[in-house]
Amino acid sequence: MMRTIFYFFGQLLFLPHVVLFLFSSQKGIIIEDIYARKTKKEGALNHCYYLSLELLISRYFRTLFYFRTNGMVSKVLRVFYPKYPSFTIDIHTKIGGGLQLAHPYATILNAESIGQNVYVNHLVTLGEKEGKKPIIGNNVQLHAGCIIIGGVTIGDNAIIGAGAVVVKDVPKNSVAVGNPARILEASQS
């Protein structure tokens, strides 16, 4: 009962965010982000409810929301409802919808682009080298502590294992592990 009361009043605090969402040009992508890890519910009321709940309980999601709604109103809201300080998204990174954030503590996303439905765990670093940034495909899994540096391409459905250091392209449907990363398997799917 106390949790329900806390959530109710907590979600009310995020009404300005809901208004920002309703007028956002990124509304469709934000909806994909809301339901990245749960079954999608139809209807504007459901979207607003789950948005305010995610913003209340997940500062990681809040960081992604501010990235999606980057503007003056978003910057003002950040003062009162801060984003997570150790989760950084470079403003030039293009990110598809449905980004799945599994406690991305100490994570830096500085890529050319990140596809749809990408899973990101903690301590992940996507970084620039000599002015080139990684390109991450769709449905990619980036596990704890992996590092992807430079102008490499990670193919669709690839899995980058925990602690892997990737400095070369990873083909689609592959698993990359180790330092330096090596390919364990690649299917013909």
Side-chain angles (χ1 to χ4, degrees), residues 104-151:
Y105 173 80
T107 291
I108 299 170
L109 303 180
N110 182 14
E112 188 69 36
S113 65
I114 298 172
Q116 293 189 323
N117 305 314
V118 171
Y119 170 88
V120 178
N121 211 310
H122 60 283
L123 300 169
V124 169
T125 300
L126 305 180
E128 182 178 339
K129 182 179 179 184
E130 298 173 359
K132 296 180 181 175
K133 299 178 182 181
I135 297 172
I136 311 297
N138 297 321
N139 306 308
V140 171
Q141 296 179 31
L142 304 174
H143 289 278
C146 74
I147 299 171
I148 303 170
I149 300 293

Side-chain angles (χ1 to χ4, degrees), residues 24-183:
S24 173
S25 62
Q26 300 289 313
K27 192 183 323 184
I29 291 176
I30 294 169
I31 290 170
E32 289 179 47
D33 293 338
I34 293 168
Y35 298 107
R37 297 181 64 129
K38 62 172 94 35
T39 304
K40 185 175 182 181
K41 309 281 186 188
E42 292 301 326
L45 256 142
N46 282 323
H47 301 331
C48 293
Y49 171 80
Y50 286 112
L51 171 68
S52 62
L53 182 62
E54 286 295 322
L55 289 166
L56 173 66
I57 64 175
S58 174
R59 286 179 31 182
Y60 306 125
F61 182 83
R62 203 178 309 159
T63 300
L64 179 61
F65 178 80
Y66 291 143
F67 171 80
R68 300 278 192 212
T69 59
N70 194 17
M72 184 55 73
V73 174
S74 180
K75 287 178 180 23
V76 169
L77 289 175
R78 285 182 218 184
V79 172
F80 301 102
Y81 311 96
K83 60 185 186 172
Y84 200 79
S86 72
F87 174 42
T88 304
I89 304 172
D90 181 76
I91 61 170
H92 301 294
T93 301
K94 296 172 189 76
I95 302 176
L99 186 65
Q100 301 173 43
L101 303 172
H103 56 87
Y105 173 80
T107 291
I108 299 170
L109 303 180
N110 182 14
E112 188 69 36
S113 65
I114 298 172
Q116 293 189 323
N117 305 314
V118 171
Y119 170 88
V120 178
N121 211 310
H122 60 283
L123 300 169
V124 169
T125 300
L126 305 180
E128 182 178 339
K129 182 179 179 184
E130 298 173 359
K132 296 180 181 175
K133 299 178 182 181
I135 297 172
I136 311 297
N138 297 321
N139 306 308
V140 171
Q141 296 179 31
L142 304 174
H143 289 278
C146 74
I147 299 171
I148 303 170
I149 300 293
V152 300
T153 299
I154 308 299
D156 294 346
N157 308 307
I159 298 172
I160 309 302
V165 177
V166 180
V167 293
K168 294 182 181 175
D169 291 351
V170 175
K172 66 180 185 174
N173 305 313
S174 296
V175 177
V177 297
N179 179 4
R182 64 189 187 288
I183 307 302

